[in-house]
């Protein structure tokens, strides 16, 4: 069993959703470091180490990505991420309200590890986060 901590970057502009993720982590006793970015531009700066206040360790990174955000949306973020030779292999799981087939196809074309619709109820969201936790605990992330 690999007990190394995965560093999670949540890219989400909705404060209620950020709070729900934090609450779901707490309910599932998930103690992974959680970093926050409000849009794709902020997230790229954090991943590239351009923001000295918020350095994310270079090892074992996972991005939880919303698609509908200002400045740079999730699909634009994915395009930039995959074009960056240093960051292109970073695993990304989309966590969104967008049920658009176009978004799903585009996200998978940009090599996301998963596409999860945000559940309507908090109890279902807690379950989804528990499943995600199993995934990143079992995954060998470099």
């Amino acid at each position: 069993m690999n007990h190394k901590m995965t560093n999670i970057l949540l890219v989400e502009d909705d404060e209620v959703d950020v709070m729900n993720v934090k609450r779901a982590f707490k309910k599932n006793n998930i103690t992974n470091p959680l970093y926050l970015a409000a849009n794709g531009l902020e997230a790229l700066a954090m991943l590239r180490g351009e923001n000295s206040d918020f350095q994310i360790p270079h090892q074992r990174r996972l991005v939880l990505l919303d698609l509908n955000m200002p400045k740079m949306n999730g699909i634009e973020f994915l395009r930039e991420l995959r074009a960056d030779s240093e960051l292109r292999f970073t695993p990304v799981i989309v966590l969104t309200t967008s049920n658009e087939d176009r978004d799903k196809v585009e996200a998978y074309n940009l090599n996301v590890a998963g596409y999860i619709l945000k559940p309507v109820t908090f109890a279902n969201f807690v379950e989804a986060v528990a499943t995600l936790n199993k995934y990143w605990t079992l995954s060998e992330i470099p």
Side-chain angles (χ1 to χ4, degrees), residues 35-91:
Y35 301 86
L36 303 172
N39 59 61
L41 289 174
E42 257 182 48
L44 284 170
M46 290 171 77
L47 289 168
R48 289 174 175 152
E50 294 167 3
N51 186 340
S52 57
D53 295 339
F54 299 102
Q55 289 282 350
I56 301 173
H58 286 279
Q59 296 77 29
R60 298 193 56 81
R61 293 170 158 182
L62 175 76
V63 176
L64 297 180
L65 178 68
D66 184 28
L67 292 186
N68 306 313
M69 294 177 293
K71 293 184 183 166
M72 177 187 270
N73 70 32
I75 296 296
E76 293 165 334
F77 167 81
L78 280 167
R79 283 193 197 116
E80 279 283 316
L81 189 78
R82 297 306 180 219
D84 186 311
S85 61
E86 297 282 308
L87 301 175
R88 69 173 179 237
F89 296 115
T90 306

XYZ file of all heavy atoms in Angstrom, residues 35-91:
461
model
N -5.037 22.414 -2.088
C -4.698 23.758 -2.563
C -5.871 24.263 -3.391
O -6.561 23.471 -4.044
C -3.423 23.709 -3.413
C -2.231 23.167 -2.665
C -1.996 21.797 -2.592
C -1.356 24.027 -2.010
C -0.900 21.295 -1.895
C -0.256 23.530 -1.312
C -0.040 22.163 -1.263
O 1.045 21.671 -0.571
N -6.096 25.571 -3.370
C -7.252 26.141 -4.057
C -6.844 27.172 -5.091
O -5.984 28.018 -4.833
C -8.186 26.814 -3.040
C -8.716 25.935 -1.905
C -9.464 26.776 -0.888
C -9.605 24.838 -2.450
N -7.485 27.089 -6.254
C -7.332 28.104 -7.299
C -8.739 28.436 -7.799
O -9.566 27.539 -7.965
C -6.473 27.581 -8.442
N -9.005 29.718 -8.036
C -10.349 30.148 -8.431
C -10.595 30.071 -9.935
O -11.723 30.200 -10.383
C -10.610 31.569 -7.933
N -9.528 29.862 -10.712
C -9.700 29.734 -12.166
C -8.459 29.064 -12.758
O -7.473 28.831 -12.058
C -9.963 31.103 -12.811
C -8.839 32.087 -12.560
O -7.697 31.853 -12.955
N -9.139 33.178 -11.884
N -8.517 28.801 -14.046
C -7.428 28.101 -14.717
C -6.109 28.849 -14.706
O -5.046 28.246 -14.578
N -6.158 30.174 -14.829
C -4.925 30.973 -14.827
C -4.202 30.852 -13.491
O -2.994 30.652 -13.449
C -5.227 32.449 -15.125
C -5.639 32.787 -16.559
C -6.053 34.250 -16.667
C -4.515 32.469 -17.535
N -4.974 30.970 -12.407
C -4.390 30.823 -11.058
C -3.796 29.426 -10.888
O -2.713 29.263 -10.329
C -5.487 31.002 -9.994
C -5.484 32.330 -9.317
C -6.567 32.398 -8.238
O -6.697 31.469 -7.407
O -7.281 33.412 -8.243
N -4.526 28.430 -11.364
C -4.078 27.041 -11.214
C -2.760 26.807 -11.957
O -1.841 26.187 -11.410
C -5.156 26.082 -11.732
N -2.663 27.309 -13.185
C -1.418 27.140 -13.946
C -0.252 27.819 -13.246
O 0.838 27.260 -13.163
C -1.576 27.693 -15.365
C -2.381 26.818 -16.325
C -2.677 27.577 -17.616
C -1.659 25.512 -16.621
N -0.494 29.028 -12.731
C 0.571 29.752 -12.015
C 1.035 28.948 -10.804
O 2.238 28.851 -10.535
C 0.073 31.139 -11.597
N 0.087 28.352 -10.076
C 0.447 27.554 -8.897
C 1.229 26.304 -9.293
O 2.232 25.960 -8.671
C -0.817 27.175 -8.115
C -1.462 28.369 -7.409
S -3.079 27.967 -6.708
C -2.564 27.056 -5.254
N 0.783 25.630 -10.340
C 1.454 24.401 -10.782
C 2.843 24.686 -11.339
O 3.756 23.877 -11.210
C 0.609 23.680 -11.836
C -0.672 23.033 -11.308
C -1.574 22.613 -12.467
C -0.359 21.833 -10.421
N 3.006 25.853 -11.954
C 4.306 26.218 -12.531
C 5.240 26.845 -11.504
O 6.384 27.169 -11.814
C 4.091 27.198 -13.687
C 3.470 26.545 -14.903
C 3.129 27.562 -15.980
N 2.651 26.886 -17.183
C 1.801 27.427 -18.051
N 1.346 28.664 -17.862
N 1.409 26.755 -19.115
N 4.749 27.059 -10.273
C 5.577 27.650 -9.230
C 5.768 29.142 -9.397
O 6.699 29.722 -8.847
N 4.865 29.794 -10.147
C 4.972 31.236 -10.383
C 4.414 32.052 -9.223
O 4.627 33.238 -9.151
C 4.227 31.610 -11.678
C 4.870 31.026 -12.910
C 3.981 31.108 -14.151
O 2.877 31.677 -14.077
O 4.406 30.589 -15.197
N 3.696 31.391 -8.338
C 3.110 32.077 -7.186
C 3.834 31.584 -5.937
O 3.561 30.503 -5.439
C 1.610 31.768 -7.122
C 0.912 32.543 -6.043
O 1.537 33.033 -5.103
N -0.397 32.667 -6.159
N 4.756 32.383 -5.435
C 5.595 31.930 -4.321
C 4.812 31.715 -3.023
O 5.267 31.009 -2.133
C 6.734 32.919 -4.090
O 6.207 34.202 -3.846
N 3.607 32.304 -2.923
C 2.790 32.107 -1.719
C 2.190 30.704 -1.671
O 1.907 30.179 -0.614
C 1.647 33.126 -1.671
C 2.150 34.549 -1.539
O 3.301 34.721 -1.086
O 1.415 35.481 -1.896
N 1.943 30.133 -2.849
C 1.260 28.848 -2.902
C 2.045 27.863 -3.750
O 1.699 27.593 -4.881
C -0.154 29.015 -3.479
C -1.026 29.911 -2.662
C -1.256 31.216 -3.056
C -1.597 29.455 -1.490
C -2.057 32.051 -2.289
C -2.390 30.276 -0.721
C -2.628 31.578 -1.122
N 3.108 27.323 -3.207
C 3.913 26.323 -3.908
C 3.299 24.946 -3.675
O 3.119 24.530 -2.544
C 5.349 26.336 -3.373
C 6.132 27.559 -3.774
C 6.644 27.488 -5.209
O 6.564 26.453 -5.854
N 7.153 28.587 -5.697
N 2.984 24.274 -4.769
C 2.485 22.907 -4.666
C 3.673 21.989 -4.934
O 4.349 22.158 -5.949
C 1.374 22.645 -5.701
C 0.220 23.624 -5.486
C 0.880 21.208 -5.602
C -0.831 23.550 -6.557
N 3.938 21.033 -4.037
C 5.052 20.115 -4.298
C 4.935 19.500 -5.695
O 3.832 19.270 -6.184
C 4.882 19.042 -3.211
C 4.140 19.744 -2.120
C 3.235 20.727 -2.798
N 6.067 19.239 -6.332
C 6.054 18.739 -7.707
C 5.661 17.269 -7.807
O 5.294 16.804 -8.873
C 7.425 18.964 -8.369
C 7.645 20.393 -8.725
N 7.120 20.960 -9.862
C 8.297 21.391 -8.081
C 7.448 22.239 -9.918
N 8.166 22.525 -8.840
N 5.768 16.526 -6.717
C 5.432 15.104 -6.752
C 3.976 14.889 -6.349
O 3.417 15.648 -5.579
C 6.322 14.297 -5.792
C 7.788 14.290 -6.140
C 8.470 15.583 -5.752
O 8.060 16.252 -4.810
N 9.493 15.959 -6.496
N 3.428 13.810 -6.890
C 2.085 13.343 -6.500
C 1.051 14.455 -6.493
O 0.490 14.793 -5.463
C 2.140 12.619 -5.160
C 3.024 11.376 -5.210
C 2.859 10.472 -4.023
N 1.501 10.027 -3.795
C 0.904 9.024 -4.441
N 1.534 8.380 -5.374
N -0.333 8.687 -4.159
N 0.790 14.990 -7.665
C -0.213 16.042 -7.817
C -1.445 15.475 -8.517
O -1.329 14.645 -9.413
C 0.320 17.161 -8.705
C 1.451 17.942 -8.127
C 1.998 18.821 -9.203
N 2.732 19.957 -8.675
C 3.265 20.896 -9.441
N 3.141 20.838 -10.747
N 3.921 21.882 -8.902
N -2.591 15.973 -8.102
C -3.848 15.622 -8.752
C -4.692 16.884 -8.798
O -4.782 17.614 -7.810
C -4.567 14.530 -7.960
C -5.949 14.134 -8.447
C -5.837 13.265 -9.701
C -6.703 13.371 -7.368
N -5.313 17.138 -9.946
C -6.152 18.325 -10.090
C -7.611 17.901 -10.134
O -7.988 17.010 -10.905
C -5.793 19.105 -11.380
C -6.733 20.286 -11.584
C -4.339 19.575 -11.334
N -8.432 18.531 -9.283
C -9.893 18.409 -9.362
C -10.371 19.690 -10.040
O -10.156 20.786 -9.516
C -10.517 18.285 -7.965
C -10.135 17.063 -7.150
C -10.834 17.105 -5.787
C -10.503 15.783 -7.879
N -11.002 19.552 -11.191
C -11.243 20.700 -12.061
C -12.714 20.932 -12.362
O -13.400 20.042 -12.871
C -10.491 20.462 -13.388
C -10.626 21.505 -14.477
C -9.946 22.810 -14.073
C -10.029 20.977 -15.785
N -13.184 22.133 -12.064
C -14.501 22.567 -12.522
C -14.325 23.070 -13.950
O -13.240 23.512 -14.331
C -15.026 23.682 -11.610
C -16.437 24.113 -11.975
O -17.200 23.293 -12.514
O -16.779 25.279 -11.726
N -15.388 23.038 -14.757
C -15.259 23.513 -16.135
C -15.731 24.951 -16.302
O -15.165 25.719 -17.064
C -16.043 22.605 -17.099
C -15.510 21.191 -17.272
C -16.297 20.460 -18.351
C -14.029 21.168 -17.594
N -16.800 25.305 -15.591
C -17.401 26.632 -15.786
C -16.800 27.639 -14.811
O -17.213 27.717 -13.661
C -18.919 26.548 -15.587
C -19.529 25.488 -16.482
O -19.234 25.422 -17.663
N -20.365 24.637 -15.914
N -15.793 28.382 -15.299
C -15.111 29.372 -14.453
C -14.790 30.613 -15.281
O -14.653 30.530 -16.493
C -13.790 28.796 -13.916
C -13.939 27.642 -12.979
S -12.315 27.005 -12.500
C -11.716 26.348 -14.049
N -14.617 31.752 -14.591
C -14.228 32.977 -15.305
C -12.743 32.968 -15.679
O -11.998 32.096 -15.226
C -14.510 34.073 -14.277
C -14.348 33.394 -12.951
C -14.813 31.974 -13.162
N -12.332 33.914 -16.479
C -10.940 34.135 -16.911
C -10.413 33.025 -17.801
O -10.048 33.254 -18.932
C -9.988 34.381 -15.744
C -10.268 35.677 -15.026
C -9.249 35.942 -13.954
C -9.616 37.210 -13.199
N -8.883 37.357 -11.965
N -10.322 31.808 -17.274
C -9.902 30.654 -18.069
C -10.718 29.463 -17.598
O -10.600 29.043 -16.452
C -8.405 30.377 -17.873
C -7.924 29.144 -18.624
S -6.213 28.692 -18.259
C -5.370 29.618 -19.518
N -11.578 28.940 -18.481
C -12.430 27.827 -18.051
C -11.650 26.510 -18.029
O -10.473 26.460 -18.372
C -13.699 27.742 -18.908
C -13.424 27.282 -20.331
O -12.523 26.498 -20.600
N -14.224 27.771 -21.262
N -12.318 25.452 -17.623
C -11.650 24.173 -17.433
C -11.064 23.579 -18.708
O -9.970 23.018 -18.690
N -11.791 23.685 -19.815
C -11.290 23.131 -21.085
C -10.059 23.911 -21.544
O -9.056 23.327 -21.968
C -12.398 23.125 -22.164
C -13.560 22.197 -21.762
C -11.832 22.751 -23.523
C -13.234 20.720 -21.641
N -10.107 25.238 -21.428
C -8.939 26.065 -21.786
C -7.746 25.714 -20.899
O -6.610 25.619 -21.373
C -9.281 27.554 -21.636
C -10.307 28.048 -22.632
C -10.906 29.404 -22.264
O -10.938 29.768 -21.077
O -11.356 30.099 -23.189
N -8.013 25.493 -19.607
C -6.958 25.081 -18.673
C -6.335 23.756 -19.122
O -5.117 23.609 -19.157
C -7.533 24.955 -17.257
C -6.617 24.248 -16.292
C -5.561 24.915 -15.685
C -6.796 22.899 -16.005
C -4.709 24.258 -14.804
C -5.953 22.231 -15.121
C -4.907 22.925 -14.527
N -7.186 22.799 -19.476
C -6.685 21.488 -19.907
C -5.815 21.611 -21.152
O -4.780 20.956 -21.254
C -7.857 20.534 -20.186
C -8.487 19.884 -18.960
C -9.817 19.226 -19.329
C -7.543 18.866 -18.345
N -6.227 22.449 -22.104
C -5.427 22.636 -23.326
C -4.040 23.167 -22.977
O -3.034 22.690 -23.500
C -6.136 23.606 -24.276
C -7.287 22.971 -25.013
C -7.753 23.863 -26.156
N -9.077 23.433 -26.577
C -10.167 24.184 -26.478
N -10.113 25.407 -26.022
N -11.325 23.706 -26.879
N -4.002 24.177 -22.089
C -2.716 24.757 -21.666
C -1.864 23.731 -20.929
O -0.668 23.623 -21.155
C -2.957 25.945 -20.728
C -3.290 27.239 -21.406
C -2.064 27.913 -21.995
O -1.008 27.979 -21.332
O -2.167 28.355 -23.150
N -2.496 23.008 -20.020
C -1.800 22.012 -19.206
C -1.161 20.946 -20.100
O 0.011 20.603 -19.929
C -2.784 21.357 -18.232
C -2.180 20.442 -17.171
C -1.563 21.267 -16.052
C -3.249 19.524 -16.596
N -1.923 20.433 -21.052
C -1.429 19.363 -21.926
C -0.366 19.870 -22.900
O 0.438 19.082 -23.396
C -2.583 18.702 -22.692
C -3.604 18.003 -21.780
C -2.960 17.005 -20.845
N -3.939 16.348 -19.982
C -3.737 16.060 -18.710
N -2.598 16.378 -18.130
N -4.652 15.453 -18.003
N -0.348 21.175 -23.170
C 0.660 21.749 -24.069
C 1.965 22.060 -23.340
O 2.981 22.344 -23.962
C 0.106 23.019 -24.716
N 1.940 22.013 -22.012
C 3.112 22.339 -21.195
C 3.917 21.061 -20.940
O 3.424 20.129 -20.293
C 2.640 22.950 -19.873
C 3.773 23.461 -19.010
O 4.759 22.704 -18.806
O 3.676 24.587 -18.513
N 5.158 21.023 -21.431
C 5.952 19.793 -21.329
C 6.202 19.362 -19.881
O 6.357 18.186 -19.593
C 7.282 19.953 -22.066
O 8.027 21.009 -21.491
N 6.239 20.316 -18.957
C 6.476 19.992 -17.538
C 5.216 19.450 -16.847
O 5.306 18.703 -15.883
C 6.919 21.253 -16.777
C 8.222 21.841 -17.257
C 9.405 21.062 -16.731
O 9.479 20.844 -15.513
O 10.247 20.665 -17.558
N 4.042 19.884 -17.321
C 2.795 19.598 -16.606
C 1.858 18.628 -17.323
O 0.861 18.199 -16.753
C 2.024 20.910 -16.366
C 2.730 22.000 -15.575
C 1.875 23.257 -15.528
C 3.068 21.526 -14.173
N 2.191 18.262 -18.556
C 1.199 17.570 -19.383
C 0.744 16.219 -18.851
O -0.320 15.734 -19.214
C 1.682 17.458 -20.810
C 2.840 16.521 -21.026
C 3.096 16.367 -22.512
N 4.217 15.493 -22.727
C 5.302 15.836 -23.400
N 5.379 17.016 -23.932
N 6.281 14.978 -23.537
N 1.534 15.595 -17.968
C 1.126 14.295 -17.441
C 0.398 14.395 -16.093
O 0.087 13.372 -15.485
C 2.339 13.364 -17.317
C 2.956 13.061 -18.655
C 4.244 13.484 -18.940
C 2.242 12.391 -19.632
C 4.814 13.220 -20.176
C 2.801 12.124 -20.869
C 4.094 12.540 -21.153
N 0.125 15.610 -15.627
C -0.593 15.798 -14.365
C -1.997 15.199 -14.479
O -2.742 15.547 -15.391
C -0.722 17.307 -14.039
O 0.583 17.892 -14.060
C -1.371 17.532 -12.678
N -2.353 14.283 -13.571
C -3.697 13.709 -13.642
C -4.761 14.743 -13.254
O -4.588 15.505 -12.301
C -3.674 12.555 -12.641
C -2.423 12.696 -11.859
C -1.545 13.691 -12.512
